[in-house]
Amino acid sequence: MRKPSGVLMSGTYVSPRVPPGPAGTQSLRAMRDAPLEFVTAMAAHGDVTRHDADGEPVYMLNRPDLARYVLKENGTNYTKDRTPDDDMLRPLLGNGLLTSNGAEWAAQRRRCAPAFRPAEVNRFDQVIVAAAEQLAAQWRGSGPVRVDHDLTSLTLTVIVKAMLGTDIGGAGEGFGRAVDAVNRFIGHYVPSDDPDPADTAARYVGFQRARAFLDQVTRVIIAARRAGGPGDDLLSALLTDGHPHPGTGPAAAGPAGGPSGGPSGGPGAGPGAGPGGGPGGPADVELRDQVLTIVMAGHETTAKSLTWTLYLLDRHPEAAAAVRAEIDEVLDGRAPTAADLPALRRCRQAVQEAMRLYPPVWLISRRSVAADVIDGYDIPAGSLVCVSPWVLHRDPRYWDDPAVYRPERFDPEQAARHLSHQYLPFGGGPRICLGQHFALVEATLVLAVILRDLRMELVPGFPVEPEALVTLRPRHGLMMVPRPR
């Protein structure tokens, strides 16, 4: 590591306290091509590390209490603004709940929070179960199925019906392909010495098409809800709150012009960015951003968590047998309801452990507002500070045999011994995922329906490896064969 410059204090030369880390500027290409290996290697340097990348220092925190400090205890000093999280998500999602900051973020969260309260979520159990029953029937007796895409379609159907009061029909399959295209583009940081400009350009074209498709789906959802009149779902609340003008679609301005441009219909991007009709209400562009954020955040991570759960249960027959035995005992062949959730603890734990080994959000980034000191090391103002759930979830100091799939880790007695911010599948602090209860309820009920009737077996020889893009997904998808029980 290069020697840091010191400062004069009362006439005495004082060197800043710099964390350990690798020497020299790190290869952005290597970081992009193998990000999980990179964050794992960084953690070997210590609990707080520093490396130089893309012309700036990056600090990584590899201990639960340090994650808690940045995400919660001193969270006001650490913003998502100008972070990799922001850079990846803003081109697609605009200024929605995942990307906004400060008072604007707080207002958006207050507006959305009532819809995600447990009592509200549980009343959508039949929406979830009906979608799962339909998928199980589709899979029953079929050949190999693309599990990750089919689960994406299912979770998309559920979030749109439950939170937005709309049925998007057959758009689910296309949505899955669009999400893949978006991930391929925004999930890779492109260094200045891009090794393959043609590939980057092709991925950008795919991103533009995918974004246009997602904007179209979002417009259809908003228009359908407006046409259907008021309801008791989240979108109705957003429409009532803002009274946006009918017909002034959020994507009126069309796609932005380049990879670093703002989202279609983004701030200042044309007529769709004008103010809404209600006094103080959100503009139509905010409505677009919020709806697309709800749709993306509300389906993508749950679909990936279920995908990894089915894969891991196939690889661990004893755990799968325990889950199936529980389903047989609790359900006895019938469909589950929200009332069964407390008894379906093995199903829930199977998902929780999958989210430990394959956390949907594998890296959390923040930028310091003011200078700080973390674990004795100086963090200058404006520094990029990162926490990796992938690293924390596999640290042998906090998890016995961390590479082994053991759903019983989340038995109440064992889970009570987990340290705060040791387990971060939904992030931490005030910005913890608003939909975490929804995600676990949905994943538990879907898993119960599928495994009640089917055994899901990996296609022999099919390669499975994690790919860290925006979310942690199987690089080649997941092909499995449904077998009747």
Side-chain angles (χ1 to χ4, degrees):
M1 179 182 297
R2 73 184 175 210
K3 183 178 180 180
S5 58
V7 295
L8 283 173
M9 298 181 62
S10 303
T12 303
Y13 182 84
V14 178
S15 177
R17 297 158 294 184
V18 179
T25 299
Q26 301 306 295
S27 165
L28 289 174
R29 192 179 309 172
M31 293 165 59
R32 182 189 68 176
D33 292 343
L36 298 177
E37 291 80 354
F38 181 82
V39 295
T40 301
M42 285 303 304
H45 289 278
D47 292 338
V48 183
T49 68
R50 179 188 185 276
H51 65 275
D52 291 333
D54 198 26
E56 72 167 331
V58 180
Y59 298 82
M60 296 202 66
L61 311 180
N62 305 306
R63 212 169 65 210
D65 61 311
L66 304 181
R68 176 187 171 94
Y69 175 78
V70 165
L71 298 178
K72 183 176 182 180
E73 293 170 358
N74 197 29
T76 56
N77 189 52
Y78 293 90
T79 176
K80 292 184 74 171
D81 188 36
R82 297 177 297 112
T83 64
D85 289 355
D86 186 62
D87 291 343
M88 285 193 299
L89 296 174
R90 190 172 294 275
L92 177 68
L93 301 181
N95 201 41
L97 188 60
L98 288 180
T99 49
S100 58
N101 288 289
E104 185 176 19
W105 166 81
Q108 290 180 1
R109 189 172 177 101
R110 283 194 302 270
R111 193 178 297 132
C112 295
F116 291 96
R117 291 169 181 159
E120 290 297 308
V121 169
N122 289 352
R123 71 188 180 93
F124 295 119
D125 57 350
Q126 293 313 297
V127 171
I128 296 168
V129 169
E133 295 272 17
Q134 183 176 354
L135 180 60
Q138 174 187 323
W139 282 354
R140 195 176 297 118
S142 70
V145 295
R146 179 74 187 263
V147 167
D148 55 319
H149 274 187
D150 287 351
L151 288 173
T152 293
S153 181
L154 179 150
T155 56
L156 175 65
T157 296
V158 168
I159 193 67
V160 171
K161 281 187 177 180
M163 291 295 156
L164 306 178
T166 305
D167 189 339
I168 60 171
E173 185 177 348
F175 208 97
R177 290 194 297 268
V179 169
D180 281 349
V182 166
N183 265 288
R184 280 192 295 271
F185 182 74
I186 67 177
H188 283 295
Y189 181 85
V190 180
S192 55
D193 59 337
D194 184 4
D196 192 347
D199 175 66
T200 300
R203 285 190 289 108
Y204 177 59
V205 169
F207 166 73
Q208 289 282 56
R209 290 173 178 166
R211 184 173 61 181
F213 173 79
L214 296 175
D215 277 340
Q216 181 181 14
V217 172
T218 303
R219 289 198 303 270
V220 168
I221 290 171
I222 294 171
R225 199 68 200 89
R226 279 174 169 152
D232 59 355
D233 51 79
L234 175 56
L235 181 52
S236 291
L238 294 175
L239 286 166
T240 301
D241 181 46
H243 306 295
H245 294 300
T248 54
S260 60
S264 62
D284 257 17
V285 66
E286 180 185 342
L287 183 60
R288 174 266 183 202
D289 293 349
Q290 290 292 50
V291 169
L292 188 52
T293 295
I294 291 164
V295 170
M296 292 294 291
H299 90 281
E300 167 75 351
T301 56
T302 307
K304 296 303 171 282
S305 297
L306 276 166
T307 297
W308 287 117
T309 301
L310 290 176
Y311 164 70
L312 288 165
L313 287 174
D314 176 60
R315 301 292 90 183
H316 297 82
E318 289 186 6
V323 170
R324 286 194 292 267
E326 174 184 83
I327 292 170
D328 292 344
E329 179 181 352
V330 174
L331 301 182
D332 193 24
R334 64 175 173 81
T337 69
D340 297 310
L341 288 167
L344 293 172
R345 61 185 184 90
R346 290 293 179 203
C347 286
R348 182 179 65 255
Q349 290 166 5
V351 175
Q352 290 173 304
E353 175 70 343
M355 296 177 81
R356 180 188 70 83
L357 282 171
Y358 298 101
V361 178
W362 61 277
L363 187 70
I364 302 169
S365 58
R366 297 287 188 269
R367 195 169 290 279
S368 59
V369 176
D372 201 357
V373 176
I374 297 180
D375 208 33
Y377 296 109
D378 293 324
I379 309 295
S383 296
L384 188 62
V385 179
C386 299
V387 173
S388 173
W390 171 270
V391 169
L392 289 179
H393 290 184
R394 292 167 176 261
D395 192 324
R397 293 177 295 178
Y398 312 112
W399 306 94
D400 293 333
D401 297 324
V404 178
Y405 179 68
R406 289 180 181 169
E408 62 270 18
R409 297 179 199 272
F410 292 92
D411 283 338
E413 301 79 10
Q414 293 194 46
R417 295 194 291 271
H418 294 170
L419 301 175
S420 174
H421 289 61
Q422 171 183 335
Y423 180 63
L424 295 171
F426 299 105
R431 295 196 72 130
I432 192 168
C433 176
L434 189 60
Q436 60 176 319
H437 180 73
F438 188 97
L440 280 176
V441 166
E442 180 180 9
T444 300
L445 292 176
V446 170
L447 190 66
V449 170
I450 291 173
L451 297 189
R452 180 195 63 195
D453 301 331
L454 302 171
R455 289 183 297 108
M456 303 299 294
E457 298 178 356
L458 185 69
V459 169
F462 189 82
V464 179
E465 59 176 307
E467 183 179 28
L469 298 177
V470 179
T471 54
L472 192 62
R473 52 209 287 119
R475 182 180 300 274
H476 310 286
L478 188 67
M479 294 295 297
M480 303 188 82
V481 179
R483 306 285 190 194
R485 284 189 59 191

